[in-house]
Amino acid sequence: QVPRGWLLVAVLVSGAQVLIQVRLVVWQVRGQPVRYGIFQVLQTALNLGLSLLLIVGVGMGWEGRLIGILSAVLLFAALGLVTLRRASELEWSFDTAYAKDALRFGVPLIPHVLGGLLIATSDRLMVAKLMSVQDAGIYAAGMQIGLVISVLADAVVKALGPWMFAN
């Protein structure tokens, strides 16, 4: 029941999220947990704040949530690109050998990722089928609250990971 246009937005958000993850991983590898944490917390705060403003303040409903996600992810993907470029950590070139290696590594992971996606979303699909789309939305909102805790825990693990491996 999701309009086709929003599905295309989901693809855009997914691509932008990859850029954000590249920025975060570079900071993690370089042992810069403060930058990592600030970037991730600010993105989450903007996502949550804008979503709440649009849903509660403007009364947009589920569209407000999606616009909040889209805005935060696109802004931070652009910020990630700018910071990578300024730090000379991004080079615009294409290497066929690297592309082949990436495909050799990545393509076999597609079934794994699709299976993970199915596992992650099957509960919401079941709630929507057995109850209603509105109930699935409420359930997903509860999952988002749990995700906030998960994001904070993940940030701590990733910030301490390089230090732990070094020691």
XYZ file of all heavy atoms in Angstrom, residues 23 30 81-91:
111
model
N 31.570 7.300 5.155
C 32.145 8.369 5.981
C 32.402 7.866 7.396
O 33.470 8.098 7.961
C 31.173 9.567 5.997
C 31.521 10.678 6.982
C 32.745 11.496 6.588
N 33.971 10.841 7.019
C 35.200 11.316 6.862
N 35.409 12.449 6.255
N 36.251 10.666 7.273
N 40.230 5.287 11.224
C 41.244 6.276 11.593
C 41.265 6.556 13.100
O 42.043 7.368 13.559
C 41.032 7.564 10.816
C 41.189 7.395 9.319
C 41.600 8.679 8.666
N 41.649 8.593 7.218
C 42.623 8.022 6.526
N 43.623 7.452 7.143
N 42.591 7.998 5.204
N 30.118 13.402 1.944
C 30.901 13.570 0.713
C 31.848 14.768 0.820
O 33.019 14.680 0.441
C 29.981 13.763 -0.484
C 29.442 12.511 -1.130
C 28.434 12.858 -2.221
C 30.550 11.660 -1.689
N 31.327 15.878 1.333
C 32.150 17.086 1.463
C 33.325 16.839 2.407
O 34.465 17.190 2.100
C 31.296 18.284 1.941
C 32.154 19.453 2.379
C 30.331 18.710 0.850
N 33.069 16.207 3.549
C 34.152 15.976 4.510
C 35.162 14.955 3.990
O 36.360 15.086 4.264
C 33.606 15.545 5.880
O 32.823 14.356 5.734
C 32.763 16.644 6.511
N 34.697 13.958 3.250
C 35.639 13.010 2.642
C 36.530 13.710 1.627
O 37.740 13.481 1.569
C 34.882 11.859 1.964
C 34.316 10.786 2.871
C 33.322 9.915 2.109
C 35.418 9.939 3.476
N 35.930 14.562 0.830
C 36.689 15.284 -0.207
C 37.702 16.246 0.409
O 38.847 16.309 -0.018
C 35.703 16.034 -1.119
C 36.328 16.608 -2.338
C 36.719 15.503 -3.309
N 37.391 16.103 -4.436
C 38.445 15.586 -5.014
N 38.931 14.448 -4.611
N 39.011 16.187 -6.021
N 37.266 16.996 1.423
C 38.169 17.958 2.071
C 39.350 17.271 2.747
O 40.433 17.831 2.822
C 37.413 18.787 3.102
C 36.617 19.892 2.488
C 36.205 20.906 3.519
N 35.395 21.935 2.897
C 34.443 22.588 3.503
N 34.159 22.336 4.766
N 33.760 23.505 2.864
N 39.122 16.079 3.267
C 40.187 15.341 3.942
C 41.024 14.526 2.953
O 41.867 13.739 3.367
C 39.589 14.420 5.006
N 40.780 14.708 1.659
C 41.471 13.959 0.600
C 41.333 12.451 0.789
O 42.254 11.682 0.514
C 42.946 14.362 0.549
O 43.067 15.727 0.236
N 40.179 12.020 1.276
C 39.915 10.606 1.484
C 38.991 10.043 0.405
O 38.537 8.913 0.491
C 39.288 10.392 2.869
C 40.229 10.757 3.988
C 39.567 10.836 5.343
O 38.379 11.195 5.421
O 40.258 10.556 6.332
N 38.756 10.854 -0.614
C 37.873 10.455 -1.699
C 38.544 10.798 -3.018
O 38.987 11.923 -3.219
C 36.529 11.210 -1.593
C 35.489 10.910 -2.644
C 35.007 9.464 -2.528
C 34.316 11.860 -2.486
N 38.622 9.805 -3.880
C 39.240 10.018 -5.190
C 38.244 9.583 -6.255
O 37.670 8.497 -6.180
C 40.520 9.189 -5.294
C 41.261 9.392 -6.580
C 42.530 8.551 -6.627
O 43.276 8.533 -5.643
O 42.743 7.889 -7.662
